[in-house]
Amino acid sequence: MTSYKELGLVNTRAMFKKAVKGGYAIPAYNFNNMEQLQAIVQACVNTKSPVILQVSSGARKYANSTLLRYMAQGAVGYAKELGFKIPIVLHLDHGDSFELCKDCIQFGFSSVMIDGSHLPYDENVKLTKKVVTYAHKYDVSVEGELGVLAGIEDEVSAEKSTYTRPEEVIDFVSKTGVDSLAISIGTSHGANKFKPEQCTRNADGVLIPPPLRFDILAEIEKKLPGFPIVLHGSSSVPIQYVKMINQYGGGMKDSVGIPEEQLRKAAKSAVCKINIDSDARIVMTALVRKTLAEKPAEFDPRKYLGPAREELVKLYEHKNINVLGSAGKAASK
Ligand code: G3H
Ligand code: 13P
Ligand code: ZN
């Protein structure tokens, strides 16, 4: 058993308390490789932002769980080396079983999500409670989920979303003891969050999605005042990078994300963790395509992954400063 405390990581408890009180959200960025992790750490140190590093079970399969664990430990040292010690959480994204959560906790994760959102309510409660009981023995925080997001979450995929039912949240939180709750208010995973027929188009033909259900969020906040709420599926799918991908041979169609103003509004509420993965994938793909198209003879991966990493730093800095409001919120030097 390796405790996350030995690795220099923190759990989410103090971080979320400050974020809810301060009206901002902590960035939860997924990573699968070194360049993404370097960019996340650089951007969060540059903007003095706390950060949650997220690892999905797909990422564990892709990159190897031991390597990812040591990379997260390395992130703590790298941040210090860059000159500012920021709080860093290592979080399991969309854990789908007790065994996976247990394994991650033993491996040094400081936070886990148990996603029982696709299960019948009572089974979700039972599974989540089991994970909480185990995790809390090691001071590891747990995120549960109520309501189903449309899109693909690892092996779990849902055609349609089901909004969180505010009447269930008090019962769920008190029965399970979770530290935070992911809810469904209209966000979804991936780069095609809404079908074109669900959207309107502006004068330039750009798809404008329907607004998030802030009424549901407000009802949930009324039931659970000050309780940490999490938003998944919160990429904005920046049109300039989608265009870049398509300009250099890509084929992304009808991509649409969550407008930044809506995420900013959510971050000012009890939403204190905002999950972003797809935007980083899009930026990386756009820059790799552009560089390879412009330099067809290039075959050194550093020459096309380097520019992608630089652009990722800009993306994460922009999110921390202008969308989540987390810039400047990491306390210590
Ligand atoms: O919610 C899903 C995350 O974007 C992780 O995606 O399972 O393809 O690693 P992944
Ligand atoms: P996006 O696909 O919108 O980036 O959402 C990521 C996510 O929710 C990870 O859990
Ligand atoms: Zn998610």
Side-chain angles (χ1 to χ4, degrees), residues 30 54 93-94 113 115 145 149 152-153 189 232-233 275:
N30 290 69
Q54 293 200 139
D93 193 24
H94 295 286
M113 174 189 195
D115 183 357
E145 180 166 340
L149 270 69
I152 297 159
E153 304 174 354
H189 292 100
H232 282 247
N275 286 13

Side-chain angles (χ1 to χ4, degrees), residues 146-164:
L146 266 183
V148 180
L149 270 69
I152 297 159
E153 304 174 354
D154 268 335
E155 276 82 39
V156 185
S157 100
E159 175 69 12
K160 274 174 67 186
S161 72
T162 315
Y163 297 125
T164 304

